[in-house]
Amino acid sequence: MGNKLIDLQGISKSYGKHMVLDDLNLYIRENEFLTLLGPSGCGKTTTLRIIGGFEKPDKGRVVFDGQDITNLPPNKRHLNTVFQKYALFTHLTIAENIAFGLKIKNKPKAYIDDKIKYALKLVNLDGFENRMADSLSGGQQQRIAIARAIVNEPKVLLLDEPLGALDLKLRQDMQYELIRLKNELGITFVFVTHDQEEALTMSDTIVVMNQGYIQQVGTPEKIYNEPENAFVADFIGDSNIIPGTMIEDELVEFLNAKFKCVDKGFGNNTPVDVVIRPEDVELVAPEKGIIQGTVTHLIFKGVHYEMEVMANGFEWLVQSTKMWPVGTKVGIKVDPFNIQIMNKPESEDEEAVGVDE
Amino acid sequence: MKSFARRFYLFLIVLFLYMPIFVLIVASFNDSKILGTWKGFTLHWYRDFFENATMMNALRTTLVIALLSATIATVLGTLACMTMAKMKKSTKNIIVGITNIPMLNAEIVTALAFMLLFIGLGVSLSFSTVLIAHVTFCIPYVVLNVLPKVQQMDSNMYEAALDLGATPIQAFFLVTVPEIMPGILSGFLMSFTMSIDDFIITHFTRGSGINTLSTMIYTEVRKGIKPEMYALSTLLFVTVFILLFLVNYGPKSKSTKKHKSLTQLMFKNKYTIAVSVCVVIIVGIFGYQLLKDDKEYIGDVYVYNWGEYIDPEVIELFEEETGYKVHYEEFETNEEMFTIVDKKARVYDVICPSDYMIEKMLENDLLTEINFDNIPNLEHIGKQYLESAKGFDPENKYCVPYCWGTVGICYNKNMVNEEVNSWSILFDEKYDGKILMQASVRDAYCVALSYLGYSINTLNEDELKEATDLLVSQKPIVQAYVVDQVRDKMIKNAAALAVIYSGEAIYMQEENDALEYVVPDEGSNVWIDGWVIPKDCQNKEAAEAWINFLCRPDIALMNFEYITYSTPNESARALIEDEDIKNSQIAFPDNSVLSRCEVYNYLGTEGDNLYDYYWTIVGGAESD
């Protein structure tokens, strides 16, 4: 992965009294597929719009390729955006849409025509030159929006929840399509989404955000397997988050039972949060489990069964390829490697502030 | 059966809606001037219309105003929409509500408000005031059409354009404007239509000499309906119909069509047609005007006169001979004219008010002295009339008499077998139920005061009381107090005696030769309408040229023959060929008659109130 291409330094932004971003620091490397992930209102879109130049931060700097572009208008930035609702120009044909940026820059006609052909081929829509934008399906419009952006050869492509309006199947296809495009073009993608699956599938780096703060930055594997706080754990995939106490290194107690784990350095008798992924919970015969409980719900999910097990006053979410009918007494076991220990936040605020490296 | 009933009902509704217009359109192609008789198809009303300079002028003004106001309103309204679309929803709803109100507001209220505003600001009504008013009432229609388009438009489109390298201005013109173009065009066409359509607001805000089709039709119709009007109205209807059709069925088909070529052609064609229709009409009109305006032009003169008070040919002759362009406007009452001139709502160069009103205008310092060096034709005006005019213009400095007449008694020889020479006959119970009185305060008191031997301008309360008692006591034998019906009633022998103006007597005699007119020995009122020049006149030379022209004997004669009121022009009288009229005691009575008559003086507000007070007593008295 290359050098820092975009560097956001101490960015703050508020609308009226509502603070959207507070002292945000983030860098994006050249050639990276970086995803800003978080629930609505977390500041991810604002961050993208600040990079695109559509919003000015109240405080902080945006550095692009070593240059401060904080006050540069969008039309002077070497990056292009794919908008959530495509924002195709409905009064123009597809070809005219794609040519828009090139015509503004007064490129020769032959060059523009080549570019249109190339871009349409790239997004698998050859022959659509003379169609009108609103005669295309959502997925096709999305591809045109991408084509319109990339013909300008931006160093960075900003994508604002581009798959949000598509149906599930199409969304999955487009995920692969985007990965392929990114690899073919070799440029940086900054992708905004609230869909953790999209983020996990496509990204090199995921930035989890909440309430204007970065919660965790890392590869999809790291974010998924080692969430740094309860918010990330909860937001990325499903989790059992259980309050407990770290008795000593490698031993944690929760739900009135002691479990072996691999974490160290939390001190003795410290209150912590314990995170266990549903697929990491093993259901066994009652006598073989560390704690015992009863299956209360059962759903077939295709790849696996999803069950809820009531044990020691906590409702466990469990995913397993093996089915345990409702009412069955079961025992629960967890591999020490699959127990993730997190510091308990001391206040509500800290839950949001999270960990900054 | 049921569906037949339904269809028949629908047919009735459509018939009900379109019957009047249908009749109008048919009439415009009817060779007969009389409605209801079909004499064959003709286009000559259309030809007459296109050859009528007044109408073509009005058409040009209408189109220029419509085009300008629609353009300006479209620009202003569209910009307003851009701002409104960015507002918070609650604020926006309030603003939209505010902009909608003018559309629902009674037009007459808007019109009066505009007039008051302009007059209040001291702005003379002119072409610009009409334009400003039109722009104002068009803006809501633009907002109505454009705002939804702006809101429908993905707000990211503008940003996408910026993102692709366009400057804010490029983004606005290359993306925002084309995206909302259907709304802009609809707004423009609707404004254009509304502007062409408007009468009330134009009527109240137009300056002197400015006539649109609707105000022109209004003025003309008062003089009688000409078949050219049918042609004009048909053309107006068809134009508005086409424009509205285009607005409603224009760009909608767009999104359903798949291919650019077809959609864009359809889309462009409809508007191209609409726009080219407008352009062709306008170019045509201007071209026509250019061809037509071959006269030598040296300036404008704005004339304000009573309705039906000049031979239209006289105006044309004046324009041809002098090179002045006449902007001719009419008023219906002295009071209406006074308000306009006093408030400087419209500026005129030369006006023709009545005696007492001239006095009032002098008291209000609204008139300027006439330079009689420029009016050599004054020598044709009889000295006795100038003498009478001294009643309101003591030094004969401000007014040149135009028409005059007396108030007297008209009686039917077959019903009145005695000599009539006194007002007393109107109080004779022998004629119970056969007497008609004039329903105007001054004329009614003129009868009573003259009969009692008092001045018709008295402000002495005892004399007024006495006159009031006399009128009250007379009321049981009076058939009615009337204004216009007097002519018809006397002609149809429905009454024996009536108080009338001399000018009407000649006409009535022609219709019924049993009628006679007499000015009683006790004296009466002589009225004089004369030309005066207001202080704020823009072209005094032109005004004086106008007055001088009207004093020329041949011209005065033309006018006399057209309007039949007595002319003070002695030389014109000498030219009259019909001996009966030339020697008519009604049209040209002996000097003795004139000398025993008085003009009405301006009595001041208090005087007017005094007369009005007693007049209500007469009005409230038992009539039988």
Side-chain angles (χ1 to χ4, degrees):
Chain A
M1 209 139 309
N3 307 317
K4 285 184 187 179
L5 184 61
I6 298 172
D7 198 359
L8 302 177
Q9 302 172 348
I11 301 282
S12 295
K13 175 78 187 175
S14 46
Y15 297 109
K17 280 183 182 162
H18 180 63
M19 179 73 94
V20 184
L21 294 175
D22 190 4
D23 193 29
L24 178 127
N25 288 288
L26 178 71
Y27 59 83
I28 299 158
R29 292 179 185 283
E30 224 167 282
N31 239 341
E32 185 174 25
F33 194 128
L34 180 133
T35 299
L36 298 169
L37 174 68
S40 47
C42 73
K44 59 190 189 298
T45 297
T46 305
T47 308
L48 193 79
R49 290 174 62 80
I50 285 174
I51 300 173
F54 304 114
E55 306 278 353
K56 277 218 172 83
D58 302 333
K59 267 191 275 175
R61 303 198 313 149
V62 181
V63 177
F64 183 85
D65 218 2
Q67 279 188 317
D68 185 343
I69 59 161
T70 318
N71 293 312
L72 210 61
N75 48 319
K76 302 245 167 78
R77 298 190 179 196
H78 294 289
L79 33 81
N80 285 106
T81 309
V82 175
F83 292 91
Q84 189 174 4
K85 280 179 258 151
Y86 328 129
L88 295 183
F89 307 135
T90 54
H91 68 286
L92 299 178
T93 61
I94 296 307
E96 287 166 338
N97 261 283
I98 296 174
F100 189 89
L102 302 173
K103 277 189 185 154
I104 294 276
K105 292 180 195 95
N106 285 322
K107 300 283 185 199
K109 190 173 181 310
Y111 174 85
I112 295 178
D113 289 346
D114 278 356
K115 272 287 183 184
I116 293 170
K117 269 217 178 85
Y118 159 76
L120 283 174
K121 196 167 189 129
L122 197 68
V123 297
N124 288 326
L125 286 174
D126 328 52
F128 277 62
E129 282 88 346
N130 292 324
R131 298 276 290 266
M132 295 302 284
D134 47 12
S135 70
L136 266 56
S137 73
Q140 291 170 328
Q141 291 191 39
Q142 189 57 265
R143 289 159 196 240
I144 298 301
I146 294 167
R148 183 177 68 176
I150 59 179
V151 289
N152 300 289
E153 300 177 352
K155 287 194 172 171
V156 179
L157 192 63
L158 307 176
L159 301 107
D160 184 9
E161 305 217 20
L163 312 182
L166 305 180
D167 59 46
L168 181 66
K169 188 77 183 66
L170 203 57
R171 198 151 66 212
Q172 284 168 348
D173 291 346
M174 279 303 285
Q175 289 174 13
Y176 290 107
E177 190 86 16
L178 281 174
I179 296 168
R180 179 182 66 79
L181 273 172
K182 200 229 144 221
N183 292 335
E184 277 184 37
L185 293 166
I187 57 171
T188 309
F189 275 35
V190 181
F191 188 92
V192 161
T193 184
H194 63 265
D195 186 320
Q196 42 121 348
E197 190 207 320
E198 264 173 40
L200 293 171
T201 313
M202 297 187 290
S203 317
D204 296 321
T205 307
I206 294 176
V207 178
V208 184
M209 294 180 71
N210 190 35
Q211 294 179 10
Y213 296 98
I214 292 175
Q215 303 292 321
Q216 188 173 355
V217 182
T219 60
E221 291 84 356
K222 190 146 185 257
I223 296 275
Y224 188 84
N225 293 327
E226 297 163 42
E228 283 173 6
N229 59 35
F231 174 80
V232 178
D234 195 34
F235 194 75
I236 304 287
D238 299 317
S239 290
N240 295 293
I241 301 173
I242 312 160
T245 310
M246 201 69 185
I247 307 278
E248 52 184 60
D249 283 352
E250 301 184 3
L251 187 66
V252 63
E253 181 186 341
F254 54 92
L255 301 178
N256 299 322
K258 293 193 173 70
F259 287 80
K260 280 199 176 141
C261 61
V262 294
D263 297 80
K264 294 178 203 171
F266 284 87
N268 295 345
N269 297 317
T270 320
V272 290
D273 277 329
V274 179
V275 177
I276 302 164
R277 293 285 178 195
E279 66 269 26
D280 293 336
V281 180
E282 289 175 58
L283 294 184
V284 290
E287 64 279 7
K288 288 185 185 164
I290 297 169
I291 55 174
Q292 286 75 38
T294 315
V295 178
T296 54
H297 282 98
L298 170 71
I299 306 164
F300 177 58
K301 284 262 189 172
V303 187
H304 56 252
Y305 296 93
E306 193 166 281
M307 286 157 282
E308 282 173 17
V309 178
M310 195 64 181
N312 291 12
F314 184 81
E315 195 156 79
W316 293 71
L317 186 68
V318 183
Q319 288 167 356
S320 168
T321 47
K322 201 173 162 200
M323 184 193 75
W324 299 78
V326 173
T328 319
K329 295 268 181 216
V330 291
I332 289 174
K333 250 174 66 176
V334 187
D335 187 293
F337 286 99
N338 291 332
I339 293 178
Q340 172 82 14
I341 306 293
M342 300 179 307
N343 271 316
K344 233 185 166 31
E346 273 167 24
S347 66
E348 284 289 307
D349 260 1
E350 200 180 323
E351 195 168 349
V353 173
V355 203
D356 245 31
E357 310 293 272
Chain B
M1 191 60 214
K2 212 172 166 188
S3 84
F4 169 76
R6 207 180 294 154
R7 259 182 238 160
F8 185 68
Y9 175 74
L10 208 68
F11 169 74
L12 281 184
I13 291 283
V14 172
L15 191 74
F16 186 70
L17 286 177
Y18 284 92
M19 199 61 195
I21 303 224
F22 181 72
V23 169
L24 176 91
I25 293 174
V26 170
S28 77
F29 295 110
N30 185 0
D31 203 13
S32 163
K33 272 199 179 190
I34 303 147
L35 268 176
T37 28
W38 178 258
K39 257 180 69 183
F41 180 86
T42 179
L43 283 174
H44 85 238
W45 304 128
Y46 287 86
R47 199 193 58 216
D48 287 358
F49 162 66
F50 283 105
E51 280 174 5
N52 183 322
T54 319
M55 290 189 184
M56 291 310 277
N57 233 331
L59 177 60
R60 183 175 58 168
T61 311
T62 307
L63 290 173
V64 169
I65 286 179
L67 203 65
L68 280 177
S69 56
T71 310
I72 298 172
T74 305
V75 172
L76 294 181
T78 305
L79 291 178
C81 289
M82 306 315 297
T83 318
M84 280 160 76
K86 286 198 184 118
M87 285 176 172
K88 270 196 295 178
K89 202 167 181 200
S90 52
T91 331
K92 185 169 62 198
N93 285 343
I94 293 169
I95 301 282
V96 168
I98 290 173
T99 59
N100 281 343
I101 289 170
M103 285 191 284
L104 304 172
N105 194 12
E107 251 196 286
I108 184 74
V109 175
T110 313
L112 274 176
F114 267 119
M115 190 176 78
L116 283 181
L117 174 73
F118 290 132
I119 292 174
L121 292 176
V123 179
S124 286
L125 299 179
S126 62
F127 179 85
S128 326
T129 51
V130 181
L131 187 62
I132 291 169
H134 277 232
V135 167
T136 314
F137 78 71
C138 285
I139 286 177
Y141 293 98
V142 176
V143 171
L144 188 75
N145 282 286
V146 175
L147 190 60
K149 288 282 164 203
V150 176
Q151 282 177 300
Q152 270 169 33
M153 185 182 138
D154 183 351
S155 62
N156 284 337
M157 276 192 201
Y158 173 76
E159 288 181 345
L162 294 181
D163 189 74
L164 294 168
T167 63
I169 291 170
Q170 282 176 320
F172 179 73
F173 284 107
L174 292 177
V175 173
T176 309
V177 171
E179 288 292 335
I180 61 173
M181 196 42 112
I184 293 178
L185 283 171
S186 302
F188 176 83
L189 287 178
M190 212 178 222
S191 300
F192 190 77
T193 315
M194 289 295 158
S195 172
I196 288 187
D197 237 17
D198 176 72
F199 165 70
I200 301 179
I201 292 170
T202 315
H203 181 67
F204 279 89
T205 54
R206 77 203 171 90
S208 38
I210 310 295
N211 256 320
T212 62
L213 285 179
S214 55
T215 61
M216 190 270 301
I217 291 175
Y218 175 74
T219 323
E220 292 286 313
V221 162
R222 282 189 308 187
K223 299 177 193 163
I225 300 176
K226 298 178 195 147
E228 294 102 294
M229 296 288 168
Y230 307 150
L232 166 60
S233 304
T234 303
L235 289 176
L236 261 184
F237 170 76
V238 170
T239 313
V240 168
F241 181 82
I242 292 175
L243 288 178
L244 279 182
F245 184 83
L246 288 170
V247 169
N248 289 324
Y249 298 97
K252 263 184 204 158
S253 54
K254 190 170 176 262
S255 57
T256 56
K257 292 274 162 21
K258 292 282 176 196
H259 289 283
K260 175 218 169 180
S261 47
L262 193 62
T263 335
Q264 296 246 324
L265 277 177
M266 298 269 298
F267 172 72
K268 278 182 183 155
N269 264 351
K270 278 190 176 155
Y271 284 108
T272 318
I273 292 167
V275 171
S276 20
V277 166
C278 295
V279 169
V280 164
I281 293 175
I282 288 158
V283 168
I285 302 298
F286 279 101
Y288 177 84
Q289 286 295 325
L290 282 177
L291 289 176
K292 198 89 188 170
D293 277 353
D294 49 0
K295 278 179 230 156
E296 201 188 336
Y297 167 85
I298 61 163
D300 297 275
V301 58
Y302 290 84
V303 180
Y304 206 21
N305 193 7
W306 293 85
E308 286 290 271
Y309 218 39
I310 197 163
D311 183 344
E313 256 181 69
V314 166
I315 300 177
E316 283 173 32
L317 281 174
F318 176 75
E319 288 185 328
E320 266 170 38
E321 289 190 20
T322 63
Y324 285 113
K325 170 105 190 68
V326 177
H327 302 270
Y328 186 81
E329 308 250 323
E330 296 175 348
F331 56 87
E332 284 185 86
T333 68
N334 278 307
E335 286 65 28
E336 173 196 340
M337 178 279 304
F338 181 81
T339 311
I340 297 284
V341 174
D342 183 42
K343 299 290 179 212
K344 309 210 182 325
R346 292 198 284 274
V347 176
Y348 293 99
D349 295 317
V350 59
I351 309 175
C352 181
S354 304
D355 35 43
Y356 75 97
M357 185 50 72
I358 296 177
E359 197 176 358
K360 183 175 178 181
M361 292 174 89
L362 275 170
E363 263 177 45
N364 284 278
D365 198 25
L366 294 173
L367 302 180
T368 188
E369 283 183 30
I370 297 173
N371 179 359
F372 285 97
D373 291 343
N374 291 334
I375 311 197
N377 287 335
L378 188 72
E379 62 179 23
H380 301 293
I381 304 291
K383 294 288 167 287
Q384 67 275 32
Y385 305 107
L386 289 171
E387 201 54 43
S388 294
K390 283 184 179 170
F392 51 85
D393 174 18
E395 291 173 68
N396 283 138
K397 276 182 175 171
Y398 294 93
C399 164
V400 175
Y402 179 55
C403 285
W404 68 278
T406 52
V407 175
I409 300 172
C410 172
Y411 62 97
N412 189 316
K413 278 187 288 192
N414 300 333
M415 295 159 112
V416 180
N417 296 317
E418 57 188 303
E419 200 186 337
V420 181
N421 51 21
S422 164
W423 293 110
S424 63
I425 197 163
L426 295 177
F427 302 92
D428 192 335
E429 293 196 5
K430 223 178 355 180
Y431 302 106
D432 186 3
K434 291 177 177 165
I435 298 166
L436 294 172
M437 292 286 285
Q438 281 287 334
S440 83
V441 49
R442 294 300 296 271
D443 293 335
Y445 276 89
C446 166
V447 172
L449 290 168
S450 303
Y451 175 55
L452 293 169
Y454 302 135
S455 160
I456 58 171
N457 292 309
T458 186
L459 286 175
N460 181 318
E461 288 220 37
D462 292 333
E463 293 176 3
L464 278 171
K465 245 178 232 160
E466 211 182 316
T468 307
D469 291 342
L470 185 65
L471 290 172
V472 170
S473 70
Q474 177 216 21
K475 216 171 171 189
I477 63 166
V478 173
Q479 188 190 84
Y481 272 90
V482 291
V483 187
D484 290 332
Q485 305 98 301
V486 71
R487 284 184 181 200
D488 288 347
K489 289 204 174 203
M490 290 304 287
I491 291 168
K492 289 177 186 157
N493 301 322
L497 292 152
V499 177
I500 63 159
Y501 306 109
S502 57
E504 312 210 57
I506 298 174
Y507 167 79
M508 284 155 71
Q509 257 182 342
E510 278 170 17
E511 301 291 319
N512 182 344
D513 52 19
L515 298 180
E516 279 294 342
Y517 176 81
V518 66
V519 178
D521 293 342
E522 294 98 336
S524 179
N525 162 248
V526 55
W527 57 263
I528 297 174
D529 291 343
W531 292 103
V532 295
I533 302 179
K535 262 231 159 90
D536 50 5
C537 119
Q538 300 290 306
N539 193 345
K540 193 157 179 266
E541 256 175 56
E544 284 160 351
W546 170 262
I547 296 173
N548 190 46
F549 187 74
L550 293 183
C551 288
R552 217 171 76 187
D554 57 326
I555 300 299
L557 178 65
M558 276 176 75
N559 272 333
F560 170 73
E561 283 170 349
Y562 186 83
I563 50 187
T564 73
Y565 281 112
S566 309
T567 172
N569 197 308
E570 302 263 288
S571 315
R573 183 187 169 188
L575 294 173
I576 298 174
E577 282 172 8
D578 185 333
E579 289 295 319
D580 284 350
I581 293 177
K582 192 194 239 173
N583 300 318
S584 160
Q585 273 299 301
I586 302 173
F588 305 103
D590 293 340
N591 282 352
S592 63
V593 172
L594 208 56
S595 59
R596 64 175 183 259
C597 289
E598 245 184 305
V599 291
Y600 289 135
N601 285 125
Y602 172 56
L603 302 170
T605 318
E606 275 183 40
D608 282 344
N609 288 345
L610 198 62
Y611 272 76
D612 284 341
Y613 167 72
Y614 285 111
W615 180 232
T616 53
I617 297 180
V618 177
E622 286 291 317
S623 55
D624 252 327

